[in-house]
Amino acid sequence: MTSSMDTPPRSRAPWWFNLLGHLLEPWVKLRRDPAEPAALLQAGVPVCYVIERDGISDALILERACREAGLPSPMQPLPGTRRRRSVLALGRSDGLVLGKNRQRSPKDALGQLTRALEGDPERDVQIVPVSIYVGRAPSRDSGWFRVLFSENWVVVGHFRRLLALLLNGRDTVVQFSDPVSLREALADAGEVAPERFARKIARVLRVHFRRIRAAVIGPDLSHRRTVVDAVLNAEPVRAAITATANKEKISYAKAWRRAQKLMLEIAADYSHPVVRSASFVLSNFWNKLYDGIAMHHFDKARAAAPGFEVVYVPSHRSHADYLLLSYQLHASGVVVPHIAAGVNLNLPVIGPILRRGGAFFLRRSFKGNAMYSVIFNEYMAQLIDRGVPIEYFIEGGRSRTGRLLAPRAGLLAMTVRAFLRAPRRPVLFQPVYIGYEKLMEGKSYAGELSGKPKEKESLIGLIKGLKVLRQRYGHVALNFGEPIELTPMLDAASAQWRAVSGDPDAKPEWLGSVVDRLAEQIQVNINRAADVNPINLLALALLATPKHAMAEADLLTQLELSKALIEELPYSDRVTLTPMDPAGIIAYGEQMGWIRRVSHSLGDVLVADDEQAVLLSYFRNNVLHLTATAAWVACCFLNNRRMSRGSVVRLGKIIYPFIQGELFLPWDTEGFGQQMQATVDFFLRRGLLEASGEGRVLERGPGQEDAAFQLKVIARSLTQAFERYYITLAALAKNGPHTMTAAELENACTLTAQRLSLLSEQAAPEFFDKALFRGFIQKLRERRIVWTDEAGKLDYDRALEEMVRDARVILAREVRHSILKITPGGEDKAEHDAETAALPPAEATPPDASPADLHARHVEAAHRQHVHEPVEPAATEAAADALREGKSDQ
């Protein structure tokens, strides 16, 4: 006998319902998620739809969505029950105009279904939750009035819902969730009364709808006061208030008011209407500024996010970073995160708007204000506990050089401690690389690096800065890197980390190392998601020449080589590369105003003028890490015609920790060795190097050949880094041990670099950046090449002197002598010994050994003594190199 539930009857919607559907249809445009929800359902099993709230409009939208998707109608009777419709709602509103929502228990309908299943073991019903959002994301053509009636957490009355449909109905999203088998749920529940089972299912459905709504439009933060009160009532904050009152001998009420003032200074005042209004404004703003905004690998990021507390950790290169990421997330249907912003941005007019867009403000330093530190930590803990997505920049400030800055791990540490305190929801860090083709702040960055004071943010300065809107800034790329889960890192650090849970003051000894590893991995993953645009490639090529100029034919060849290098030796599967060909890249650079063409009868020359060249160094530095391995291998042949493959790899492994620390490279030492081998093979395939002696000896062509010129261009992207390293080593060796503190060394290096930049060819602005010298000195200390004695002075051992001697492989004699002459301090005995030391004799070789074998053995013996003399002095090719460069300057 066939069950009455097997063949659903036809829809029996009343005539007035169908009439309303026809009237509403022109005003509503549906987008289903997923696009084909029928694939979710089990064939032959009756369907009962569950919506979040009762209302004719939601029923009309649901019926239309089901009809268009080929699903059973929600308006047909539900077989086996007395219900006339196959849909039920969890809430309803009372009143026609200002009706308020109230919970509506679906226990009667669910109870009927449960009893029907108990009466017939063959029966089943699919419960399908359906979320309906009207006007979630107004388009750039939407008016301000429409924004006010977009979807939010407030369940409105019938009149407001009608206005929302009329104004925003063409932005309606119907999201079908995976169906739940009522039979299976009943079996899992065991022996329970139908009424109790119905209440349990209703609770589960409400939680489900809250999670979906939070994912689509963000968590319910409409009551800022509740967050502020929760922070001020937290035990650590109350203790800090008491401590402040006792220390300063003031009343508890006065200390509490001070804490409340600090909390109001920090807390965001998130407003959905403001976010949607900002989206409306920014869509036009971006169209005026940029030619396009592209997101890559976003689908991977969205797929990884469900179930996690997501912390976005993007690179920080412009004030536009805040707005771009939030705008793109909102436009893509993802909730806008709360953003940690410096209190310097809390300007009149601007500050309140940013605060309502999700910004919360923090001071640059927490020192000297224990109460502020406790309050901010508690606020972060509240956000994470409530499942609010967060965004912050671990570099601390905007990069003025184009490189990623050394991370400042304060907010990371707060995030980790907040999770340890209440590990309810796992934390996922999402790195994001933001790449530009032109920066609004470019000129101010160059000025700051040249010594000009940083301009303080102000409303007047912002108004003056509006002149940047007259320019176009090309394309922007947002690349989402590999996400990082916090829990596996904690598991690797300590198997007992969960024992710390619940203690807000816990600071286990392994916490610092976890935060440091996390910070470094975030920077590595940001770099692994780099976008290589046309301006990056032009900067890599043109800045490698003394006059920042190349013959067009040479530039075309160099651009093709750079693209081939990135494609054939992929840095990461998340790196994106411009599809433009070399000719298109040159044309685009001219169009953007970065380069100019000088016509000549022997062939046009492309030039980056001095001011543009300084700004282009920023974009070269964006992608310097992608060519670091190739640059090292090429550097080995700047002053050497021949070197053994083993020497290139061995010396590369010595220098790698310092390059890795500066550029956040992803490999360990052995991995870098494999990259060097692959790069050598690439150069051999391209004819830039030749191999002899069974592949053990590598040789480049004479300086006047194209191959030697191309190698030189690749090498020069990294030579200034090696010059900075040599300045540091030379200053230490010249002054001797126990004579300088780390701060004194840093200052001496900066002055030397500035002086060298004035006397030689124009250097990039970061050449004398104190932060880079500080990072190199710190890396020397970490590797115990340098350490601090009891008096606070720096001491070192023979390894430093050996590094000074090894510099002869990379840096020309003239460069080394110029640095030594400028560097303040006494006579450098270590360098004098290195310059005058004779090469060790080559090992005994068979009488029939070939010249290549003899050379290979000679080189190997030299490197065992940490000394390498070029087989041919660099001076012998100076004239040829000058001719070759002259060709590019014509």
Side-chain angles (χ1 to χ4, degrees):
M1 182 175 180
T2 304
S3 170
S4 61
M5 295 181 72
D6 294 337
T7 307
R10 295 181 302 167
S11 173
R12 297 180 183 175
W15 64 269
W16 57 265
F17 185 89
N18 294 326
L19 176 62
L20 287 176
H22 287 298
L23 292 175
L24 190 63
E25 188 165 348
W27 300 90
V28 176
K29 182 178 180 180
L30 301 183
R31 178 169 65 86
R32 299 187 303 274
D33 187 13
E36 300 296 335
L40 302 175
L41 302 182
Q42 182 180 352
V45 179
V47 177
C48 178
Y49 303 98
V50 180
I51 56 178
E52 194 172 3
R53 50 192 165 190
D54 195 8
I56 295 175
S57 62
D58 282 14
L60 289 169
I61 291 171
L62 175 62
E63 197 279 333
R64 177 178 164 187
C66 291
R67 184 177 71 251
E68 293 177 353
L71 299 177
S73 171
M75 303 309 294
Q76 67 186 13
L78 188 61
T81 72
R82 290 178 295 175
R83 291 190 62 80
R84 294 178 298 170
R85 304 287 179 253
S86 295
V87 59
L88 61 93
L90 295 183
R92 68 180 178 187
S93 57
D94 298 322
L96 181 61
V97 179
L98 300 175
K100 295 183 178 180
N101 183 73
R102 72 181 186 188
Q103 295 299 323
R104 179 184 193 177
S105 175
K107 63 181 181 180
D108 293 339
L110 290 172
Q112 291 173 5
L113 292 178
T114 304
R115 284 189 288 272
L117 295 186
E118 288 179 338
D120 186 350
E122 298 298 324
R123 290 177 176 174
D124 194 6
V125 174
Q126 300 178 82
I127 302 294
V128 180
V130 182
S131 304
I132 300 173
Y133 305 107
V134 176
R136 190 208 64 81
S139 68
R140 63 185 179 89
D141 298 323
S142 303
W144 290 93
F145 196 58
R146 295 185 181 184
V147 171
L148 297 177
F149 290 92
S150 56
E151 193 74 49
N152 55 51
W153 279 86
V154 179
V155 180
V156 297
H158 301 300
F159 181 68
R160 280 182 59 91
R161 190 64 167 179
L162 175 61
L163 287 178
L165 284 167
L166 296 178
L167 295 171
N168 294 321
R170 300 188 67 79
D171 265 323
T172 299
V173 178
V174 181
Q175 182 166 332
F176 291 85
S177 298
D178 291 336
V180 176
S181 167
L182 198 61
R183 168 67 63 188
E184 293 180 5
L186 186 60
D188 293 339
E191 296 294 332
V192 294
E195 290 75 13
R196 183 179 178 184
F197 174 73
R199 288 196 297 270
K200 179 180 178 181
I201 291 294
R203 286 196 302 270
V204 171
L205 288 169
R206 289 191 185 99
V207 170
H208 169 81
F209 281 119
R210 282 198 296 269
R211 287 178 176 174
I212 295 295
R213 184 168 287 269
V216 173
I217 66 172
D220 186 6
L221 298 175
S222 54
H223 301 292
R224 181 193 186 201
R225 177 181 54 80
T226 61
V227 180
V228 172
D229 290 345
V231 171
L232 294 176
N233 290 327
E235 184 58 36
V237 175
R238 291 207 306 269
I241 294 173
T242 301
T244 299
N246 294 336
K247 180 180 179 180
E248 300 185 14
K249 302 186 183 307
I250 58 177
S251 66
Y252 182 89
K254 186 174 182 180
W256 186 90
R257 287 193 295 272
R258 184 184 301 177
Q260 184 188 43
K261 184 177 180 181
L262 292 175
M263 185 61 225
L264 293 175
E265 174 191 307
I266 294 168
D269 189 13
Y270 190 91
S271 166
H272 296 293
V274 169
V275 169
R276 282 152 182 78
S277 300
S279 173
F280 163 73
V281 173
L282 286 174
S283 62
N284 293 288
F285 182 72
W286 299 141
N287 287 334
K288 293 182 182 297
L289 284 183
Y290 300 115
D291 297 324
I293 303 171
M295 287 203 303
H296 302 115
H297 312 299
F298 174 69
D299 290 342
K300 298 176 184 176
R302 178 154 55 182
F308 286 92
E309 162 65 21
V310 180
V311 180
Y312 296 93
V313 276
S315 58
H316 196 14
R317 289 170 175 152
S318 170
H319 278 314
D321 298 340
Y322 298 94
L323 303 176
L324 273 169
L325 182 56
S326 294
Y327 171 80
Q328 288 297 111
L329 290 174
H330 176 73
S332 301
V334 176
V335 59
V336 174
H338 276 41
I339 307 170
V343 73
N344 56 308
L345 294 179
N346 191 15
L347 304 171
V349 182
I350 301 300
I353 295 175
L354 294 177
R355 195 184 295 276
R356 285 168 176 78
F360 60 97
F361 297 98
L362 72 157
R363 299 177 181 179
R364 291 298 181 188
S365 174
F366 292 4
K367 291 182 179 179
N369 195 333
M371 181 188 291
Y372 183 87
S373 178
V374 172
I375 289 173
F376 194 91
N377 272 278
E378 185 62 32
Y379 180 69
M380 286 285 291
Q382 286 287 336
L383 292 183
I384 292 172
D385 189 50
R386 292 166 182 253
V388 179
I390 301 173
E391 174 190 336
Y392 49 72
F393 305 95
I394 66 171
E395 295 172 88
R398 289 166 290 149
S399 171
R400 266 67 174 174
T401 65
R403 304 164 183 257
L404 290 180
L405 303 179
R408 297 181 179 181
L411 287 172
L412 277 180
M414 292 181 195
T415 305
V416 175
R417 291 184 60 195
F419 174 71
L420 290 175
R421 170 178 159 183
R424 298 186 184 91
R425 192 177 188 187
V427 175
L428 183 82
F429 293 92
Q430 178 58 65
V432 184
Y433 175 97
I434 304 179
Y436 298 91
E437 293 178 347
K438 184 178 283 189
L439 280 176
M440 290 181 281
E441 303 96 332
K443 291 185 178 179
S444 65
Y445 285 178
E448 290 173 29
L449 288 170
S450 301
K452 295 181 181 179
K454 177 182 179 295
E455 293 185 10
K456 186 177 181 181
E457 286 80 2
S458 66
L459 186 59
I460 295 177
L462 180 65
I463 294 173
K464 289 181 179 178
L466 292 178
K467 61 184 179 182
V468 301
L469 301 182
R470 302 172 188 167
Q471 302 182 41
R472 300 287 290 185
Y473 294 89
H475 293 81
V476 183
L478 279 71
N479 284 12
F480 288 77
E482 187 73 28
I484 304 165
E485 294 184 32
L486 177 59
T487 301
M489 298 192 76
L490 293 174
D491 289 336
S494 173
Q496 285 77 40
W497 66 265
R498 290 174 178 81
V500 181
S501 178
D503 184 359
D505 299 320
K507 292 183 180 179
E509 58 181 13
W510 43 261
L511 179 62
S513 62
V514 168
V515 172
D516 289 343
R517 286 197 300 273
L518 177 60
E520 182 177 357
Q521 191 60 50
I522 287 171
Q523 300 295 73
V524 168
N525 284 14
I526 289 175
N527 267 350
R528 284 169 58 89
D531 175 73
V532 186
N533 61 48
I535 311 306
N536 299 138
L537 294 174
L538 285 172
L540 281 170
L542 289 173
L543 297 187
T545 61
K547 293 187 178 180
H548 309 136
M550 270 193 189
E552 184 173 18
D554 290 338
L555 183 54
L556 287 169
T557 301
Q558 200 68 38
L559 291 172
E560 188 277 328
L561 176 64
S562 297
K563 288 195 67 174
L565 179 67
I566 295 170
E567 288 173 336
E568 295 183 32
L569 300 176
Y571 189 89
S572 162
D573 61 354
R574 299 207 180 204
V575 169
T576 53
L577 177 63
T578 175
M580 287 186 185
D581 61 12
I585 291 173
I586 291 175
Y588 188 70
E590 292 182 84
Q591 175 190 330
M592 291 285 292
W594 282 115
I595 59 177
R596 63 181 175 88
R597 180 182 295 270
V598 178
S599 299
H600 195 277
S601 59
L602 298 180
D604 290 357
V605 174
L606 282 308
V607 181
D609 294 323
D610 288 345
E611 182 180 356
Q612 296 294 70
V614 172
L615 298 176
L616 277 174
S617 67
Y618 191 98
F619 299 95
R620 177 196 61 189
N621 293 341
N622 288 169
V623 296
L624 201 57
H625 59 286
L626 300 179
T627 60
T629 309
W632 162 255
V633 175
C635 277
C636 292
F637 296 92
L638 274 178
N639 304 298
N640 307 281
R641 281 286 300 277
R642 302 179 186 89
M643 279 189 71
S644 72
R645 183 191 281 252
S647 296
V648 172
V649 174
R650 183 163 49 253
L651 283 176
K653 289 181 178 180
I654 293 173
I655 200 70
Y656 178 64
F658 306 104
I659 305 174
Q660 181 188 32
E662 186 171 317
L663 300 180
F664 300 101
L665 302 181
W667 311 287
D668 58 15
T669 303
E670 290 305 314
F672 184 63
Q674 295 171 7
Q675 285 294 117
M676 285 188 285
Q677 296 282 14
T679 302
V680 168
D681 293 338
F682 172 81
F683 285 161
L684 291 172
R685 290 195 304 271
R686 300 284 301 198
L688 303 184
L689 293 175
E690 295 180 356
S692 59
E694 298 180 351
R696 290 181 298 167
V697 177
L698 305 173
E699 181 177 357
R700 68 163 169 85
Q704 70 271 23
E705 292 186 357
D706 289 343
F709 175 72
Q710 292 168 20
L711 276 177
K712 182 175 292 187
V713 171
I714 293 173
R716 282 186 170 174
S717 66
L718 210 56
T719 51
Q720 286 191 351
F722 296 135
E723 289 174 10
R724 277 189 282 101
Y725 298 166
Y726 188 73
I727 287 172
T728 308
L729 299 174
L732 270 171
K734 196 170 183 180
N735 286 276
H738 311 290
T739 58
M740 305 178 75
T741 65
E744 290 169 344
L745 175 60
E746 180 185 314
N747 188 57
C749 293
T750 304
L751 293 174
T752 301
Q754 288 174 341
R755 177 75 169 170
L756 188 65
S757 179
L758 291 172
L759 294 174
S760 60
E761 66 181 74
Q762 187 177 13
E766 76 275 5
F767 182 60
F768 40 84
D769 183 9
K770 274 191 175 184
L772 294 177
F773 283 110
R774 188 181 308 123
F776 180 62
I777 295 168
Q778 179 60 31
K779 187 62 68 172
L780 289 172
R781 296 171 76 167
E782 289 176 7
R783 299 187 67 81
R784 295 297 296 169
I785 295 171
V786 170
W787 60 88
T788 305
D789 63 17
E790 296 179 355
K793 305 292 185 178
L794 294 177
D795 192 9
Y796 57 86
D797 62 10
R798 185 172 177 78
L800 184 134
E801 298 175 359
E802 294 169 351
M803 291 179 68
V804 173
R805 286 196 292 270
D806 285 338
R808 304 176 70 194
V809 178
I810 304 303
L811 300 180
R813 184 185 296 270
E814 294 80 5
V815 175
R816 302 198 307 274
H817 284 182
S818 296
I819 290 173
L820 285 170
K821 184 177 180 180
I822 296 171
T823 303
E827 182 182 357
D828 182 10
K829 184 177 183 301
E831 172 65 14
H832 176 75
D833 292 344
E835 291 290 348
T836 58
L839 272 174
E843 295 179 3
T845 55
D848 59 346
S850 67
D853 289 333
L854 289 172
H855 174 71
R857 289 173 178 271
H858 179 73
V859 170
E860 292 294 336
H863 278 287
R864 279 196 294 273
Q865 298 297 324
H866 301 284
V867 177
H868 180 85
E869 183 66 34
V871 174
E872 292 182 348
T876 63
E877 298 180 5
D881 287 345
L883 285 173
R884 189 66 188 81
E885 290 179 7
K887 176 184 174 184
S888 69
D889 294 338
Q890 289 178 348

